[in-house]
Amino acid sequence: MAYTIDLSERVALVTGGSRGIGAAVAKMLAEARAAVVIGCTSESKTAIGLRNRLRGMGVPAELVAGDLSKPETARAYIDFVREQFGQLDILVNNAGVWKGDPIDELRPELLTEVMNVNLMSVFDLCRDAVPLLRASSQARIVNISSTASLMGEPSYSPYAASKAGLDGLTRSLAVELGPFGITVNSVAPGWTETDMTTEELKTEAGKALVESIPLKKVATPEDVANAVLFCASNMAGHISGVTIPVEGAYRIRR
Ligand code: NAP
């Protein structure tokens, strides 16, 4: 028997959906027939190109642009979805920045930016999205965490702390929103080939790092998007409050 994931009649918002993991998620959701709103900082050529590609697949697709380091942006994203579609079924909180400093050189502005984009905006997005999600018969929140949440990351403690906060938010909301039929999960990628990691992966240290992954390769954005699609689907209807690592056994290597 062939299994298919059918998300027709569902509306998804993917923050950071213009590039990398978010773009792969947006494409997979569209392949599953969901209408997709792509969040991004600005309406770049890449973002417009992706939106047009999704429309070419025959699904409604829109862009919403705004800087999630600013507290007013989350509400603007959700207002846009409400105005365009009147519903929201799948919220993928993917936008993120990977920045760090050694603790004794920590710049307050870096700490603020990382926390605002990676964590604070997700609180705001969830708060503003919940009235729409409650009205859905199959509501999903999927937060894109990181193995840094599970392992820590030297010299990137703001990033690791933001992602650990995200996983705490995931577990809390899974319990709080469960009675409304909303599932809340995290997907925690390890090293994944995107603009975020391109430079690092070219270095000698980066090459050694790939060798240290038991599967001997980094994830593709699609590897991560597969887990997100699963969380968004009917198949994951009774899975909530978990963090799913997608990291090729990197954490448990010897
Ligand atoms: P990426 O290729 O750098 O893309 C980042 C995305 O986030 C872009 O769509 C970008 O929009 C958006 N974004 C960044 N800052 C934003 C802001 N202030 N406001 C609104 N949107 C913003 O990153 P990625 O590798 O796909 O990462 C996606 C998620 O996976 C992040 O949460 C990241 O922490 C997590 N992750 C990645 C890896 C990895 O190895 N790549 C590993 C673990 C976890 P624009 O295109 O408009 O700039």
Side-chain angles (χ1 to χ4, degrees), residues 149-162:
S149 161
L150 310 168
M151 303 170 70
E153 188 167 11
S155 297
Y156 284 83
S157 55
Y159 181 77
S162 72

Side-chain angles (χ1 to χ4, degrees), residues 200-220:
E200 181 73 18
L201 289 172
K202 278 185 202 155
T203 64
E204 286 309 311
K207 288 177 192 158
L209 195 142
V210 176
E211 277 308 301
S212 75
I213 299 171
L215 286 179
K216 305 292 178 198
K217 58 181 182 181
V218 297
T220 63

Side-chain angles (χ1 to χ4, degrees), residues 14-24 38-44 46-47 64-70 73 77 93-99 113 116-118 121 143-148 153 159 162-163 166 187-198 201 218-219 221 224 246:
V14 183
T15 71
S18 50
R19 295 185 281 128
I21 291 169
I38 298 162
C40 49
T41 55
S42 63
E43 294 202 9
S44 62
T46 313
V64 59
D67 180 353
L68 286 169
S69 70
K70 303 198 168 114
T73 304
Y77 274 28
N93 292 307
N94 166 77
V97 286
W98 180 51
K99 292 184 180 179
E113 182 192 353
N116 283 354
V117 178
N118 293 7
S121 77
N143 295 321
I144 306 303
S145 173
S146 166
T147 46
E153 188 167 11
Y159 181 77
S162 72
K163 295 299 189 179
L166 201 52
V187 170
W191 290 91
T192 306
E193 206 171 343
T194 68
D195 294 345
M196 189 176 271
T197 53
T198 308
L201 289 172
V218 297
V224 180
V246 181

Side-chain angles (χ1 to χ4, degrees), residues 10-28:
R10 314 231 176 265
V11 176
L13 169 62
V14 183
T15 71
S18 50
R19 295 185 281 128
I21 291 169
V25 170
K27 277 185 240 160
M28 279 193 195

Side-chain angles (χ1 to χ4, degrees), residues 47-242:
I48 293 168
L50 178 62
R51 181 201 55 195
N52 293 345
R53 191 170 157 190
L54 302 194
R55 285 181 177 173
M57 292 162 64
V59 295
E62 300 291 343
L63 280 184
V64 59
D67 180 353
L68 286 169
S69 70
K70 303 198 168 114
E72 64 275 17
T73 304
R75 189 170 294 278
Y77 274 28
I78 302 298
D79 284 348
F80 178 84
V81 174
R82 188 185 298 104
E83 282 155 21
Q84 293 292 317
F85 293 101
Q87 75 180 82
L88 178 64
D89 306 278
I90 301 162
L91 171 62
V92 182
N93 292 307
N94 166 77
V97 286
W98 180 51
K99 292 184 180 179
D101 276 333
I103 193 68
D104 53 348
E105 295 169 20
L106 180 62
R107 289 166 288 169
E109 64 276 16
L110 180 143
L111 178 61
T112 302
E113 182 192 353
V114 171
M115 285 296 171
N116 283 354
V117 178
N118 293 7
L119 181 59
M120 303 301 279
S121 77
V122 181
F123 275 94
D124 293 336
L125 284 157
C126 290
R127 179 195 60 214
D128 297 337
V130 156
L132 288 172
L133 294 172
R134 274 189 194 146
S136 166
S137 59
Q138 188 187 303
R140 304 279 193 256
I141 298 175
V142 186
N143 295 321
I144 306 303
S145 173
S146 166
T147 46
S149 161
L150 310 168
M151 303 170 70
E153 188 167 11
S155 297
Y156 284 83
S157 55
Y159 181 77
S162 72
K163 295 299 189 179
L166 201 52
D167 286 338
L169 178 63
T170 294
R171 289 188 288 274
S172 305
L173 294 189
V175 176
E176 188 175 329
L177 301 178
F180 303 101
I182 303 170
T183 71
V184 189
N185 293 295
S186 299
V187 170
W191 290 91
T192 306
E193 206 171 343
T194 68
D195 294 345
M196 189 176 271
T197 53
T198 308
E199 290 311 312
E200 181 73 18
L201 289 172
K202 278 185 202 155
T203 64
E204 286 309 311
K207 288 177 192 158
L209 195 142
V210 176
E211 277 308 301
S212 75
I213 299 171
L215 286 179
K216 305 292 178 198
K217 58 181 182 181
V218 297
T220 63
E222 289 73 24
D223 287 327
V224 180
N226 281 328
V228 178
L229 183 66
F230 170 70
C231 289
S233 74
N234 285 340
M235 290 185 199
H238 206 59
I239 297 175
S240 194
V242 302

